[in-house]
């Protein structure tokens, strides 16, 4: 049953990320379902494994998770496989066109939204109550 819950959260995270991409740039790629699901699930695990961490610290770690997976995914999907799903090389402060400072800054509030959304989904779907929130 526990594995089923985690798979549901992964699936919903992947779908939410693809919806976010569709709203932001008008299209998405199927691999973004996997990347978004991984990020969403891992961000949720921050709260589950470190319930005393303040939300701002979880958001900072969530940003790191997203940037690390975006870099790894970009190197595999865009550079190694040549899919060309995204290219940030025209944006400032980029690393190999796969991650950049403007999107890194955007991932911070997105991580916050993921924390609260994941907690809300777990409460509504499985009756799992989140730990009390602290900002600092």
């Amino acid at each position: 049953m526990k594995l089923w819950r985690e798979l549901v959260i992964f699936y919903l995270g992947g779908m939410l990320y693809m919806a976010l991409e569709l709203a932001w740039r008008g299209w998405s790629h199927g691999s973004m379902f996997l990347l978004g699901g991984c990020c969403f699930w891992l961000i949720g695990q921050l709260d589950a494994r470190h319930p005393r961490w303040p939300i701002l610290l979880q958001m900072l770690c969530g940003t790191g998770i997203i940037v690390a997976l975006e870099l790894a995914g970009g190197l595999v999907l865009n550079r190694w496989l040549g899919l060309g799903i995204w290219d940030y090389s025209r944006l400032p402060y980029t690393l190999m066109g796969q991650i950049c400072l403007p999107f890194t800054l955007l991932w911070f509030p997105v991580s916050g939204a993921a924390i609260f959304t994941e907690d809300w989904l777990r409460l509504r779907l499985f009756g799992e109550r989140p730990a009390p929130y602290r900002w600092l």
Side-chain angles (χ1 to χ4, degrees):
M1 188 58 130
K2 176 84 169 136
L3 177 61
W4 174 251
R5 290 179 181 189
E6 303 310 310
L7 289 173
V8 167
I9 293 299
F10 178 92
Y11 173 81
L12 293 173
M15 295 303 288
L16 286 169
Y17 183 74
M18 287 188 77
L20 183 67
E21 249 196 352
L22 287 170
W24 181 264
R25 65 180 190 162
W27 71 280
S28 189
H29 186 270
S31 61
M32 296 301 96
F33 170 81
L34 296 174
L35 190 60
C38 285
C39 290
F40 192 71
W41 183 80
L42 287 170
I43 290 169
Q45 292 304 297
L46 289 172
D47 187 34
R49 297 178 190 272
H50 306 286
R52 298 183 63 167
W53 281 10
I55 295 296
L56 292 175
L57 178 58
Q58 290 181 47
M59 290 169 67
L60 185 62
C61 290
T63 301
I65 287 168
I66 294 170
V67 169
L69 290 179
E70 184 179 34
L71 177 60
L75 291 174
V76 170
L77 297 168
N78 296 326
R79 294 290 182 114
W80 186 44
L81 296 176
L83 296 178
I85 300 167
W86 70 88
D87 181 5
Y88 296 149
S89 59
R90 293 189 182 131
L91 295 173
Y93 307 107
T94 183
L95 179 61
M96 296 182 280
Q98 304 310 302
I99 58 173
C100 66
L101 183 59
F103 276 91
T104 297
L105 297 174
L106 177 66
W107 298 136
F108 187 76
V110 169
S111 293
I115 290 165
F116 292 112
T117 302
E118 196 264 354
D119 282 346
W120 182 82
L121 286 169
R122 286 189 182 273
L123 177 64
R124 292 291 175 222
L125 297 174
F126 313 123
E128 296 176 11
R129 296 208 175 274
Y133 295 127
R134 305 183 310 138
W135 285 96
L136 299 173

